[in-house]
Amino acid sequence: AGCDATEILTARDTPIVEYDEIIVEQGTADGFLEEQLKPEDLEAAAAKCGQNVVVKRRDGFDHSYHFIAAFIESHVSFHATRLYRKLHARNAAIKHDFSGTVGQVIKCRAAVARGPKEALVMETIQVLPPRSGEVRVKVMANALCHTDVYTLDGHDPEGLFPCILGHEAGCVVESVGEGVTSVVPGDHVIPCYTPQCCEAECVFCMSPKTNLCPKIRASQGRGVMPDGTTRFLDENGKEIFHFMGCSTMSEYTVLAEISCAKIQKEAPLDKMCLFGCGVSTGLGAVWNTCKMEVNSTVAVFGLGAVGLAVIQGAKMAGASR
């Protein structure tokens, strides 16, 4: 009885406030309708305690999987809307207080790559405050990309060691350096390893054909910040290189301001981190590289983060198959 909806509502004098509406799909040809399901009893119990219950009686449908499949889309939409509301409320309630670390050296944990083909080492490192045009962030979520593995295996010609890998992350801004205006402490951001300066004199940013902005590309390749120095020190005070301008396999990292893509705080960082590489790569392959047309037929090899994003992008672009 403790799991039966009718019994639960019968025992109540007030509605369950967590549920603004309850939807029930019921086939009128269901063989269990009169003896066991009895939707009219549920409706009566709901009316008694003021619970908003809507029973949708579907003529001719029985208790089969076809019945479930026929109305699953509307139910997914129904629950997605309410789950989003809960997620929005939960994320909006999360507050971060960084007042004790602003301007200070932060000691935190990081997975340090000491050399090619060597296992990552969890170490306590020092993360220096951001300088002019820089942003220090707290890394809340990370995703592993094949490029991280490629570099760790020693195949990346720009791979420098020791370094902190990682470039797919969801972060919260801890503090900002002088001159930073696009983000403030508490903002949620996605680090970008190919950021755009969007300056009028940048021919790459102004071109519709590419976004390979060279503003900080050279310093990224050398494993340092745009001013030529690092923000990471190990326990012995020795420098640790940056990786792809991100280095997100650390509890805190420092980014160039243009590397910070600000997102809505309601968006879950453990999912949005994939936009740092996998999802954006897949969508870009469809929209920018292939320039997919409506009614195209698409072949996708591999269904990791990139492959799944290709399918999503293809659907959004109007692919027929």
Side-chain angles (χ1 to χ4, degrees), residues 47-116:
K48 169 183 168 294
C49 69
Q51 191 77 50
N52 183 16
V53 173
V54 177
V55 178
K56 297 182 178 181
R57 291 171 170 80
R58 305 293 187 175
D59 290 339
F61 282 92
D62 57 12
H63 206 78
S64 66
Y65 285 107
H66 171 67
F67 168 60
I68 297 173
F71 305 103
I72 190 67
E73 186 171 349
S74 63
H75 273 256
V76 169
S77 176
F78 175 85
H79 289 294
T81 300
R82 282 149 184 82
L83 287 172
Y84 176 80
R85 289 176 189 166
K86 288 185 177 181
L87 186 63
H88 182 286
R90 186 196 72 179
N91 290 343
I94 297 175
K95 305 296 182 183
H96 299 278
D97 182 9
F98 298 118
S99 58
T101 57
V102 173
Q104 305 296 315
V105 174
I106 292 177
K107 288 187 176 182
C108 68
R109 301 286 284 169
V112 180
R114 284 288 171 184

Short mmCIF file of all heavy atoms in Angstrom, two decimals, residues 47-116:
data_model
loop_
_atom_site.label_atom_id
_atom_site.label_comp_id
_atom_site.label_asym_id
_atom_site.label_seq_id
_atom_site.Cartn_x
_atom_site.Cartn_y
_atom_site.Cartn_z
N ALA A 47 -8.91 14.16 -5.65
CA ALA A 47 -9.86 15.24 -5.39
C ALA A 47 -10.00 15.50 -3.89
O ALA A 47 -10.13 16.64 -3.45
CB ALA A 47 -11.21 14.90 -6.01
N LYS A 48 -9.93 14.43 -3.11
CA LYS A 48 -10.09 14.54 -1.65
C LYS A 48 -8.98 15.37 -1.02
O LYS A 48 -9.23 16.20 -0.12
CB LYS A 48 -10.11 13.15 -1.04
CG LYS A 48 -9.99 13.11 0.49
CD LYS A 48 -9.96 11.68 0.99
CE LYS A 48 -9.55 11.62 2.46
NZ LYS A 48 -8.15 12.05 2.69
N CYS A 49 -7.74 15.18 -1.49
CA CYS A 49 -6.62 15.91 -0.87
C CYS A 49 -6.16 17.11 -1.70
O CYS A 49 -5.21 17.80 -1.32
CB CYS A 49 -5.44 14.96 -0.63
SG CYS A 49 -4.62 14.38 -2.13
N GLY A 50 -6.80 17.35 -2.83
CA GLY A 50 -6.46 18.52 -3.65
C GLY A 50 -5.28 18.33 -4.59
O GLY A 50 -4.70 19.31 -5.06
N GLN A 51 -4.95 17.06 -4.86
CA GLN A 51 -3.83 16.78 -5.78
C GLN A 51 -4.30 16.90 -7.22
O GLN A 51 -5.38 16.41 -7.58
CB GLN A 51 -3.30 15.36 -5.54
CG GLN A 51 -1.99 15.07 -6.26
CD GLN A 51 -0.81 15.70 -5.55
OE1 GLN A 51 -0.64 15.55 -4.35
NE2 GLN A 51 -0.01 16.43 -6.30
N ASN A 52 -3.52 17.57 -8.05
CA ASN A 52 -3.87 17.75 -9.45
C ASN A 52 -3.46 16.51 -10.24
O ASN A 52 -2.29 16.33 -10.57
CB ASN A 52 -3.18 18.99 -10.01
CG ASN A 52 -3.58 19.27 -11.45
OD1 ASN A 52 -4.57 18.74 -11.94
ND2 ASN A 52 -2.81 20.11 -12.13
N VAL A 53 -4.42 15.65 -10.52
CA VAL A 53 -4.18 14.41 -11.28
C VAL A 53 -5.03 14.44 -12.54
O VAL A 53 -6.23 14.70 -12.49
CB VAL A 53 -4.52 13.15 -10.45
CG1 VAL A 53 -4.43 11.90 -11.32
CG2 VAL A 53 -3.57 13.03 -9.27
N VAL A 54 -4.38 14.18 -13.68
CA VAL A 54 -5.09 14.15 -14.96
C VAL A 54 -4.97 12.74 -15.54
O VAL A 54 -3.88 12.27 -15.84
CB VAL A 54 -4.50 15.17 -15.95
CG1 VAL A 54 -5.22 15.06 -17.30
CG2 VAL A 54 -4.60 16.57 -15.39
N VAL A 55 -6.11 12.06 -15.66
CA VAL A 55 -6.14 10.72 -16.25
C VAL A 55 -6.58 10.87 -17.71
O VAL A 55 -7.70 11.31 -17.98
CB VAL A 55 -7.09 9.78 -15.50
CG1 VAL A 55 -7.12 8.41 -16.20
CG2 VAL A 55 -6.64 9.63 -14.05
N LYS A 56 -5.68 10.52 -18.62
CA LYS A 56 -5.99 10.60 -20.05
C LYS A 56 -6.41 9.23 -20.55
O LYS A 56 -5.60 8.33 -20.71
CB LYS A 56 -4.77 11.10 -20.82
CG LYS A 56 -4.33 12.50 -20.44
CD LYS A 56 -3.14 12.96 -21.28
CE LYS A 56 -2.75 14.38 -20.94
NZ LYS A 56 -1.59 14.86 -21.77
N ARG A 57 -7.69 9.06 -20.77
CA ARG A 57 -8.22 7.77 -21.22
C ARG A 57 -8.10 7.70 -22.74
O ARG A 57 -8.67 8.51 -23.46
CB ARG A 57 -9.67 7.61 -20.76
CG ARG A 57 -9.79 7.44 -19.25
CD ARG A 57 -11.24 7.50 -18.78
NE ARG A 57 -11.38 7.10 -17.38
CZ ARG A 57 -11.13 7.89 -16.34
NH1 ARG A 57 -10.74 9.16 -16.57
NH2 ARG A 57 -11.27 7.45 -15.10
N ARG A 58 -7.34 6.70 -23.19
CA ARG A 58 -7.05 6.54 -24.61
C ARG A 58 -7.90 5.41 -25.19
O ARG A 58 -7.71 4.23 -24.88
CB ARG A 58 -5.57 6.22 -24.81
CG ARG A 58 -4.61 7.25 -24.18
CD ARG A 58 -4.70 8.59 -24.89
NE ARG A 58 -3.68 9.52 -24.40
CZ ARG A 58 -3.46 10.74 -24.89
NH1 ARG A 58 -4.24 11.19 -25.87
NH2 ARG A 58 -2.50 11.50 -24.40
N ASP A 59 -8.84 5.80 -26.04
CA ASP A 59 -9.79 4.83 -26.60
C ASP A 59 -9.08 3.77 -27.45
O ASP A 59 -8.24 4.08 -28.30
CB ASP A 59 -10.83 5.54 -27.46
CG ASP A 59 -11.79 6.38 -26.64
OD1 ASP A 59 -11.90 6.11 -25.43
OD2 ASP A 59 -12.40 7.32 -27.20
N GLY A 60 -9.41 2.51 -27.18
CA GLY A 60 -8.92 1.41 -28.00
C GLY A 60 -7.55 0.87 -27.62
O GLY A 60 -7.15 -0.18 -28.14
N PHE A 61 -6.84 1.52 -26.73
CA PHE A 61 -5.49 1.05 -26.36
C PHE A 61 -5.58 0.06 -25.20
O PHE A 61 -6.39 0.22 -24.28
CB PHE A 61 -4.61 2.23 -25.95
CG PHE A 61 -4.07 2.99 -27.13
CD1 PHE A 61 -4.76 4.09 -27.62
CD2 PHE A 61 -2.89 2.61 -27.76
CE1 PHE A 61 -4.28 4.80 -28.71
CE2 PHE A 61 -2.40 3.32 -28.85
CZ PHE A 61 -3.10 4.41 -29.33
N ASP A 62 -4.69 -0.97 -25.25
CA ASP A 62 -4.66 -1.96 -24.19
C ASP A 62 -3.42 -1.77 -23.31
O ASP A 62 -2.93 -0.66 -23.16
CB ASP A 62 -4.72 -3.37 -24.79
CG ASP A 62 -3.58 -3.62 -25.77
OD1 ASP A 62 -2.63 -2.80 -25.81
OD2 ASP A 62 -3.63 -4.63 -26.50
N HIS A 63 -2.90 -2.86 -22.75
CA HIS A 63 -1.77 -2.78 -21.81
C HIS A 63 -0.44 -3.15 -22.49
O HIS A 63 0.48 -3.63 -21.84
CB HIS A 63 -2.03 -3.76 -20.64
CG HIS A 63 -1.34 -3.38 -19.36
ND1 HIS A 63 -1.80 -2.39 -18.53
CD2 HIS A 63 -0.22 -3.86 -18.77
CE1 HIS A 63 -1.01 -2.29 -17.48
NE2 HIS A 63 -0.04 -3.16 -17.60
N SER A 64 -0.33 -2.91 -23.78
CA SER A 64 0.83 -3.38 -24.54
C SER A 64 1.95 -2.34 -24.60
O SER A 64 1.77 -1.17 -24.23
CB SER A 64 0.41 -3.73 -25.96
OG SER A 64 0.00 -2.55 -26.64
N TYR A 65 3.11 -2.78 -25.11
CA TYR A 65 4.22 -1.86 -25.31
C TYR A 65 3.90 -0.83 -26.39
O TYR A 65 4.43 0.28 -26.38
CB TYR A 65 5.49 -2.63 -25.69
CG TYR A 65 6.12 -3.34 -24.52
CD1 TYR A 65 6.03 -4.72 -24.39
CD2 TYR A 65 6.77 -2.62 -23.52
CE1 TYR A 65 6.60 -5.37 -23.30
CE2 TYR A 65 7.35 -3.26 -22.43
CZ TYR A 65 7.26 -4.64 -22.33
OH TYR A 65 7.82 -5.26 -21.25
N HIS A 66 3.03 -1.19 -27.32
CA HIS A 66 2.61 -0.24 -28.34
C HIS A 66 1.92 0.96 -27.70
O HIS A 66 2.11 2.11 -28.11
CB HIS A 66 1.65 -0.91 -29.34
CG HIS A 66 1.01 0.05 -30.29
ND1 HIS A 66 1.73 0.73 -31.25
CD2 HIS A 66 -0.28 0.48 -30.40
CE1 HIS A 66 0.91 1.53 -31.93
NE2 HIS A 66 -0.31 1.39 -31.44
N PHE A 67 1.15 0.70 -26.65
CA PHE A 67 0.47 1.78 -25.92
C PHE A 67 1.50 2.71 -25.28
O PHE A 67 1.40 3.93 -25.36
CB PHE A 67 -0.45 1.18 -24.86
CG PHE A 67 -0.97 2.18 -23.87
CD1 PHE A 67 -1.73 3.26 -24.30
CD2 PHE A 67 -0.69 2.06 -22.52
CE1 PHE A 67 -2.22 4.19 -23.39
CE2 PHE A 67 -1.17 2.98 -21.61
CZ PHE A 67 -1.93 4.04 -22.05
N ILE A 68 2.52 2.11 -24.67
CA ILE A 68 3.57 2.92 -24.02
C ILE A 68 4.30 3.76 -25.06
O ILE A 68 4.52 4.96 -24.88
CB ILE A 68 4.55 2.00 -23.27
CG1 ILE A 68 3.82 1.25 -22.16
CG2 ILE A 68 5.72 2.81 -22.70
CD1 ILE A 68 4.67 0.21 -21.46
N ALA A 69 4.66 3.13 -26.17
CA ALA A 69 5.42 3.83 -27.22
C ALA A 69 4.61 4.95 -27.85
O ALA A 69 5.17 5.96 -28.29
CB ALA A 69 5.87 2.84 -28.29
N ALA A 70 3.30 4.78 -27.90
CA ALA A 70 2.45 5.76 -28.58
C ALA A 70 2.46 7.12 -27.89
O ALA A 70 2.28 8.16 -28.53
CB ALA A 70 1.02 5.23 -28.67
N PHE A 71 2.71 7.14 -26.57
CA PHE A 71 2.61 8.39 -25.83
C PHE A 71 3.89 8.74 -25.06
O PHE A 71 3.89 9.65 -24.24
CB PHE A 71 1.42 8.33 -24.86
CG PHE A 71 0.12 7.98 -25.53
CD1 PHE A 71 -0.42 6.71 -25.43
CD2 PHE A 71 -0.53 8.92 -26.32
CE1 PHE A 71 -1.61 6.38 -26.07
CE2 PHE A 71 -1.72 8.60 -26.96
CZ PHE A 71 -2.26 7.33 -26.84
N ILE A 72 4.96 8.02 -25.35
CA ILE A 72 6.19 8.24 -24.59
C ILE A 72 6.78 9.63 -24.82
O ILE A 72 7.34 10.25 -23.91
CB ILE A 72 7.24 7.15 -24.94
CG1 ILE A 72 8.43 7.23 -23.98
CG2 ILE A 72 7.71 7.30 -26.39
CD1 ILE A 72 8.10 6.86 -22.57
N GLU A 73 6.64 10.17 -26.04
CA GLU A 73 7.24 11.48 -26.33
C GLU A 73 6.64 12.58 -25.47
O GLU A 73 7.37 13.44 -24.94
CB GLU A 73 7.06 11.81 -27.81
CG GLU A 73 7.79 13.08 -28.22
CD GLU A 73 7.79 13.30 -29.73
OE1 GLU A 73 7.41 12.38 -30.47
OE2 GLU A 73 8.17 14.41 -30.15
N SER A 74 5.33 12.56 -25.30
CA SER A 74 4.70 13.60 -24.48
C SER A 74 5.11 13.47 -23.02
O SER A 74 5.26 14.47 -22.31
CB SER A 74 3.17 13.52 -24.60
OG SER A 74 2.68 12.29 -24.10
N HIS A 75 5.33 12.23 -22.56
CA HIS A 75 5.74 12.03 -21.17
C HIS A 75 7.18 12.47 -20.95
O HIS A 75 7.51 13.04 -19.91
CB HIS A 75 5.56 10.56 -20.78
CG HIS A 75 4.18 10.24 -20.28
ND1 HIS A 75 3.89 10.06 -18.96
CD2 HIS A 75 3.01 10.14 -20.94
CE1 HIS A 75 2.60 9.83 -18.81
NE2 HIS A 75 2.04 9.87 -20.01
N VAL A 76 8.04 12.21 -21.90
CA VAL A 76 9.42 12.66 -21.79
C VAL A 76 9.46 14.19 -21.71
O VAL A 76 10.18 14.77 -20.89
CB VAL A 76 10.26 12.16 -22.98
CG1 VAL A 76 11.63 12.86 -23.01
CG2 VAL A 76 10.45 10.65 -22.90
N SER A 77 8.67 14.84 -22.56
CA SER A 77 8.60 16.30 -22.53
C SER A 77 8.06 16.81 -21.20
O SER A 77 8.56 17.78 -20.64
CB SER A 77 7.71 16.79 -23.68
OG SER A 77 7.56 18.18 -23.64
N PHE A 78 7.03 16.14 -20.68
CA PHE A 78 6.42 16.52 -19.41
C PHE A 78 7.44 16.47 -18.27
O PHE A 78 7.60 17.42 -17.50
CB PHE A 78 5.25 15.56 -19.12
CG PHE A 78 4.59 15.76 -17.78
CD1 PHE A 78 3.59 16.70 -17.62
CD2 PHE A 78 4.98 15.00 -16.68
CE1 PHE A 78 2.98 16.88 -16.39
CE2 PHE A 78 4.38 15.18 -15.44
CZ PHE A 78 3.38 16.12 -15.30
N HIS A 79 8.17 15.37 -18.19
CA HIS A 79 9.13 15.20 -17.09
C HIS A 79 10.37 16.07 -17.31
O HIS A 79 10.95 16.56 -16.33
CB HIS A 79 9.53 13.73 -16.97
CG HIS A 79 8.43 12.87 -16.43
ND1 HIS A 79 7.95 12.99 -15.14
CD2 HIS A 79 7.69 11.88 -17.02
CE1 HIS A 79 6.97 12.11 -14.95
NE2 HIS A 79 6.79 11.43 -16.07
N ALA A 80 10.77 16.26 -18.55
CA ALA A 80 11.95 17.10 -18.82
C ALA A 80 11.72 18.52 -18.33
O ALA A 80 12.62 19.15 -17.76
CB ALA A 80 12.26 17.09 -20.32
N THR A 81 10.52 19.04 -18.55
CA THR A 81 10.19 20.39 -18.10
C THR A 81 10.32 20.51 -16.59
O THR A 81 10.89 21.48 -16.07
CB THR A 81 8.77 20.76 -18.53
OG1 THR A 81 8.68 20.71 -19.96
CG2 THR A 81 8.41 22.16 -18.05
N ARG A 82 9.83 19.53 -15.88
CA ARG A 82 9.86 19.59 -14.42
C ARG A 82 11.25 19.30 -13.85
O ARG A 82 11.65 19.89 -12.84
CB ARG A 82 8.82 18.62 -13.86
CG ARG A 82 7.42 19.21 -13.97
CD ARG A 82 6.32 18.20 -14.17
NE ARG A 82 5.06 18.92 -14.35
CZ ARG A 82 4.66 19.46 -15.52
NH1 ARG A 82 5.44 19.35 -16.59
NH2 ARG A 82 3.51 20.10 -15.61
N LEU A 83 11.98 18.42 -14.50
CA LEU A 83 13.35 18.18 -14.06
C LEU A 83 14.21 19.42 -14.26
O LEU A 83 15.08 19.72 -13.44
CB LEU A 83 13.95 16.99 -14.83
CG LEU A 83 13.42 15.61 -14.42
CD1 LEU A 83 13.93 14.55 -15.38
CD2 LEU A 83 13.82 15.27 -12.99
N TYR A 84 13.95 20.14 -15.35
CA TYR A 84 14.69 21.38 -15.59
C TYR A 84 14.41 22.39 -14.48
O TYR A 84 15.31 23.08 -14.01
CB TYR A 84 14.34 21.96 -16.95
CG TYR A 84 15.01 23.30 -17.20
CD1 TYR A 84 16.34 23.36 -17.60
CD2 TYR A 84 14.32 24.49 -17.01
CE1 TYR A 84 16.97 24.57 -17.81
CE2 TYR A 84 14.94 25.71 -17.21
CZ TYR A 84 16.26 25.74 -17.61
OH TYR A 84 16.88 26.95 -17.81
N ARG A 85 13.16 22.49 -14.07
CA ARG A 85 12.81 23.42 -12.99
C ARG A 85 13.56 23.07 -11.71
O ARG A 85 14.08 23.94 -11.02
CB ARG A 85 11.30 23.37 -12.73
CG ARG A 85 10.44 24.00 -13.82
CD ARG A 85 8.98 23.80 -13.47
NE ARG A 85 8.11 24.19 -14.58
CZ ARG A 85 6.83 23.88 -14.64
NH1 ARG A 85 6.27 23.18 -13.66
NH2 ARG A 85 6.09 24.26 -15.67
N LYS A 86 13.61 21.77 -11.38
CA LYS A 86 14.30 21.35 -10.17
C LYS A 86 15.80 21.65 -10.28
O LYS A 86 16.43 22.10 -9.32
CB LYS A 86 14.08 19.85 -9.94
CG LYS A 86 12.68 19.49 -9.47
CD LYS A 86 12.59 18.00 -9.15
CE LYS A 86 11.21 17.64 -8.62
NZ LYS A 86 11.11 16.20 -8.29
N LEU A 87 16.35 21.37 -11.46
CA LEU A 87 17.77 21.62 -11.67
C LEU A 87 18.08 23.11 -11.58
O LEU A 87 19.08 23.52 -10.99
CB LEU A 87 18.18 21.09 -13.05
CG LEU A 87 19.67 21.12 -13.39
CD1 LEU A 87 20.45 20.23 -12.43
CD2 LEU A 87 19.89 20.67 -14.82
N HIS A 88 17.20 23.92 -12.16
CA HIS A 88 17.36 25.37 -12.12
C HIS A 88 17.37 25.86 -10.67
O HIS A 88 18.23 26.65 -10.26
CB HIS A 88 16.21 26.02 -12.88
CG HIS A 88 16.29 27.52 -12.95
ND1 HIS A 88 16.01 28.32 -11.86
CD2 HIS A 88 16.62 28.36 -13.96
CE1 HIS A 88 16.14 29.58 -12.19
NE2 HIS A 88 16.51 29.64 -13.46
N ALA A 89 16.44 25.36 -9.88
CA ALA A 89 16.35 25.77 -8.48
C ALA A 89 17.57 25.31 -7.69
O ALA A 89 18.10 26.05 -6.86
CB ALA A 89 15.07 25.21 -7.85
N ARG A 90 18.03 24.09 -7.95
CA ARG A 90 19.19 23.56 -7.23
C ARG A 90 20.45 24.36 -7.55
O ARG A 90 21.20 24.76 -6.66
CB ARG A 90 19.42 22.09 -7.59
CG ARG A 90 20.51 21.41 -6.79
CD ARG A 90 20.95 20.11 -7.43
NE ARG A 90 21.72 20.36 -8.64
CZ ARG A 90 22.25 19.39 -9.39
NH1 ARG A 90 22.05 18.13 -9.07
NH2 ARG A 90 22.94 19.69 -10.47
N ASN A 91 20.69 24.59 -8.83
CA ASN A 91 21.90 25.31 -9.23
C ASN A 91 21.87 26.77 -8.78
O ASN A 91 22.90 27.35 -8.43
CB ASN A 91 22.08 25.24 -10.74
CG ASN A 91 22.46 23.84 -11.20
OD1 ASN A 91 22.89 23.01 -10.41
ND2 ASN A 91 22.30 23.57 -12.49
N ALA A 92 20.68 27.38 -8.81
CA ALA A 92 20.56 28.77 -8.40
C ALA A 92 20.84 28.93 -6.90
O ALA A 92 21.25 30.00 -6.44
CB ALA A 92 19.18 29.31 -8.73
N ALA A 93 20.62 27.84 -6.14
CA ALA A 93 20.82 27.91 -4.69
C ALA A 93 22.28 27.74 -4.29
O ALA A 93 22.65 28.03 -3.15
CB ALA A 93 19.98 26.84 -4.01
N ILE A 94 23.12 27.27 -5.21
CA ILE A 94 24.54 27.06 -4.90
C ILE A 94 25.27 28.39 -4.89
O ILE A 94 25.24 29.14 -5.86
CB ILE A 94 25.19 26.11 -5.93
CG1 ILE A 94 24.53 24.73 -5.87
CG2 ILE A 94 26.69 25.98 -5.67
CD1 ILE A 94 25.02 23.77 -6.94
N LYS A 95 25.91 28.69 -3.78
CA LYS A 95 26.66 29.93 -3.65
C LYS A 95 28.14 29.61 -3.41
O LYS A 95 28.48 28.67 -2.70
CB LYS A 95 26.12 30.77 -2.50
CG LYS A 95 24.63 31.07 -2.59
CD LYS A 95 24.28 31.93 -3.80
CE LYS A 95 22.79 32.25 -3.82
NZ LYS A 95 22.40 33.03 -5.02
N HIS A 96 29.01 30.40 -4.00
CA HIS A 96 30.44 30.22 -3.82
C HIS A 96 31.02 31.48 -3.17
O HIS A 96 30.80 32.59 -3.64
CB HIS A 96 31.12 29.99 -5.18
CG HIS A 96 30.65 28.76 -5.89
ND1 HIS A 96 31.13 27.51 -5.61
CD2 HIS A 96 29.71 28.59 -6.86
CE1 HIS A 96 30.54 26.62 -6.39
NE2 HIS A 96 29.67 27.25 -7.16
N ASP A 97 31.77 31.27 -2.10
CA ASP A 97 32.41 32.38 -1.41
C ASP A 97 33.93 32.25 -1.58
O ASP A 97 34.56 31.38 -1.00
CB ASP A 97 32.05 32.37 0.07
CG ASP A 97 32.68 33.55 0.82
OD1 ASP A 97 33.23 34.44 0.16
OD2 ASP A 97 32.61 33.55 2.07
N PHE A 98 34.49 33.11 -2.42
CA PHE A 98 35.92 33.08 -2.68
C PHE A 98 36.66 34.25 -2.01
O PHE A 98 37.81 34.53 -2.35
CB PHE A 98 36.18 33.13 -4.19
CG PHE A 98 35.61 31.95 -4.95
CD1 PHE A 98 34.63 32.14 -5.92
CD2 PHE A 98 36.05 30.67 -4.69
CE1 PHE A 98 34.12 31.06 -6.62
CE2 PHE A 98 35.54 29.58 -5.38
CZ PHE A 98 34.57 29.78 -6.36
N SER A 99 36.01 34.88 -1.07
CA SER A 99 36.61 36.07 -0.46
C SER A 99 37.93 35.76 0.25
O SER A 99 38.79 36.63 0.37
CB SER A 99 35.62 36.71 0.53
OG SER A 99 35.25 35.78 1.55
N GLY A 100 38.09 34.52 0.71
CA GLY A 100 39.29 34.17 1.44
C GLY A 100 40.48 33.82 0.57
O GLY A 100 41.60 33.66 1.08
N THR A 101 40.27 33.71 -0.75
CA THR A 101 41.38 33.29 -1.63
C THR A 101 41.77 34.36 -2.64
O THR A 101 42.83 34.24 -3.28
CB THR A 101 41.00 32.01 -2.40
OG1 THR A 101 39.78 32.24 -3.14
CG2 THR A 101 40.80 30.84 -1.45
N VAL A 102 40.95 35.39 -2.82
CA VAL A 102 41.26 36.42 -3.81
C VAL A 102 42.62 37.06 -3.51
O VAL A 102 42.90 37.48 -2.39
CB VAL A 102 40.16 37.51 -3.83
CG1 VAL A 102 40.56 38.66 -4.75
CG2 VAL A 102 38.83 36.91 -4.27
N GLY A 103 43.46 37.07 -4.53
CA GLY A 103 44.77 37.68 -4.39
C GLY A 103 45.79 36.81 -3.68
O GLY A 103 46.96 37.22 -3.53
N GLN A 104 45.38 35.62 -3.26
CA GLN A 104 46.27 34.73 -2.53
C GLN A 104 46.72 33.56 -3.42
O GLN A 104 46.06 33.21 -4.40
CB GLN A 104 45.57 34.16 -1.30
CG GLN A 104 44.99 35.21 -0.37
CD GLN A 104 46.05 36.08 0.25
OE1 GLN A 104 47.08 35.60 0.71
NE2 GLN A 104 45.80 37.40 0.26
N VAL A 105 47.84 32.95 -3.06
CA VAL A 105 48.26 31.71 -3.69
C VAL A 105 47.37 30.59 -3.16
O VAL A 105 47.18 30.47 -1.95
CB VAL A 105 49.74 31.39 -3.40
CG1 VAL A 105 50.12 30.03 -3.95
CG2 VAL A 105 50.64 32.47 -4.00
N ILE A 106 46.81 29.81 -4.05
CA ILE A 106 45.93 28.71 -3.64
C ILE A 106 46.71 27.39 -3.72
O ILE A 106 47.34 27.08 -4.74
CB ILE A 106 44.68 28.62 -4.54
CG1 ILE A 106 43.78 29.84 -4.32
CG2 ILE A 106 43.90 27.34 -4.27
CD1 ILE A 106 42.55 29.86 -5.21
N LYS A 107 46.66 26.62 -2.64
CA LYS A 107 47.21 25.27 -2.66
C LYS A 107 46.07 24.30 -2.90
O LYS A 107 45.04 24.36 -2.22
CB LYS A 107 47.91 24.95 -1.34
CG LYS A 107 49.23 25.67 -1.16
CD LYS A 107 49.96 25.17 0.09
CE LYS A 107 51.32 25.83 0.23
NZ LYS A 107 52.07 25.32 1.41
N CYS A 108 46.23 23.44 -3.88
CA CYS A 108 45.17 22.51 -4.23
C CYS A 108 45.77 21.24 -4.84
O CYS A 108 46.97 21.14 -5.06
CB CYS A 108 44.17 23.16 -5.19
SG CYS A 108 44.85 23.50 -6.84
N ARG A 109 44.89 20.30 -5.16
CA ARG A 109 45.32 19.04 -5.76
C ARG A 109 45.24 19.13 -7.27
O ARG A 109 44.37 19.79 -7.83
CB ARG A 109 44.45 17.89 -5.26
CG ARG A 109 44.46 17.70 -3.76
CD ARG A 109 45.77 17.08 -3.29
NE ARG A 109 45.82 15.66 -3.59
CZ ARG A 109 46.91 14.90 -3.50
NH1 ARG A 109 48.06 15.47 -3.13
NH2 ARG A 109 46.87 13.62 -3.76
N ALA A 110 46.17 18.45 -7.93
CA ALA A 110 46.17 18.41 -9.40
C ALA A 110 46.78 17.09 -9.86
O ALA A 110 47.62 16.50 -9.16
CB ALA A 110 46.96 19.58 -9.97
N ALA A 111 46.34 16.63 -11.03
CA ALA A 111 46.93 15.45 -11.65
C ALA A 111 48.04 15.93 -12.56
O ALA A 111 47.79 16.49 -13.63
CB ALA A 111 45.87 14.68 -12.43
N VAL A 112 49.27 15.73 -12.15
CA VAL A 112 50.42 16.26 -12.88
C VAL A 112 51.02 15.19 -13.78
O VAL A 112 51.27 14.06 -13.36
CB VAL A 112 51.50 16.78 -11.90
CG1 VAL A 112 52.70 17.33 -12.66
CG2 VAL A 112 50.90 17.84 -10.98
N ALA A 113 51.23 15.56 -15.05
CA ALA A 113 51.91 14.68 -16.00
C ALA A 113 53.40 15.01 -15.94
O ALA A 113 53.83 16.07 -16.40
CB ALA A 113 51.37 14.89 -17.41
N ARG A 114 54.17 14.12 -15.35
CA ARG A 114 55.60 14.37 -15.16
C ARG A 114 56.43 14.05 -16.39
O ARG A 114 57.52 14.60 -16.59
CB ARG A 114 56.11 13.55 -13.97
CG ARG A 114 55.71 14.14 -12.62
CD ARG A 114 56.49 15.40 -12.35
NE ARG A 114 56.02 16.14 -11.17
CZ ARG A 114 56.53 17.30 -10.83
NH1 ARG A 114 57.49 17.85 -11.55
NH2 ARG A 114 56.07 17.95 -9.77
N GLY A 115 55.93 13.18 -17.24
CA GLY A 115 56.68 12.82 -18.44
C GLY A 115 55.84 11.97 -19.35
O GLY A 115 54.80 11.43 -18.95
N PRO A 116 56.24 11.83 -20.64
CA PRO A 116 55.47 11.02 -21.58
C PRO A 116 55.42 9.56 -21.15
O PRO A 116 56.41 9.01 -20.65
CB PRO A 116 56.24 11.18 -22.90
CG PRO A 116 57.61 11.62 -22.49
CD PRO A 116 57.44 12.41 -21.24
#
